[in-house]
Amino acid sequence: MGGGREPVWATNGELFYRNLAGDRVMAVSVTTEPTLTMGTSREVLQGNYVFDSIHPQYDVTADGQRFLMLQDAATENSGEAGPPPINTVLNWFEELKERVPVP
């Protein structure tokens, strides 16, 4: 298997994990009956996603068909200086009452 980190189980009997470099998500089928048997590892996803070597920074759907991956905002917005801005609206309920009067 070559080793890996951040293991995540799917209910379809597959174990997903990140390779040691963290740039690939691998899968291996696992059966427990009649004995513990592991299939051949295969690559299912490749990319530059957030990697934490200890805690999984991704998740997989129960059927093993879809992934939720975290991507660094600086990587996603290459060409821009830093992550996109966050706008905070204060006292929005008061403004709503002014704009939409209640009869």
Side-chain angles (χ1 to χ4, degrees):
M1 289 194 330
R5 297 184 174 152
E6 297 187 14
V8 174
W9 284 102
T11 58
N12 68 353
E14 286 187 291
L15 175 64
F16 293 89
Y17 62 95
R18 304 281 292 269
N19 68 337
L20 293 176
D23 60 350
R24 299 171 196 267
V25 175
M26 309 296 288
V28 62
S29 61
V30 179
T31 56
T32 57
E33 297 295 329
T35 61
L36 178 63
T37 307
M38 300 183 78
T40 303
S41 298
R42 63 185 172 83
E43 180 181 316
V44 294
L45 184 67
Q46 181 178 355
N48 187 15
Y49 298 101
V50 174
F51 180 61
D52 177 327
S53 77
I54 297 174
H55 304 289
Q57 299 296 306
Y58 70 100
D59 206 353
V60 60
T61 57
D63 63 3
Q65 298 298 307
R66 293 189 175 92
F67 295 85
L68 175 64
M69 306 292 293
L70 297 176
Q71 188 171 31
D72 187 355
T75 303
E76 182 181 341
N77 298 314
S78 59
E80 295 181 20
I86 296 175
N87 297 319
T88 304
V89 178
L90 302 175
N91 301 319
W92 69 270
F93 194 67
E94 296 302 319
E95 183 174 339
L96 179 64
K97 286 196 273 186
E98 290 175 10
R99 291 179 182 233
V100 183
V102 179

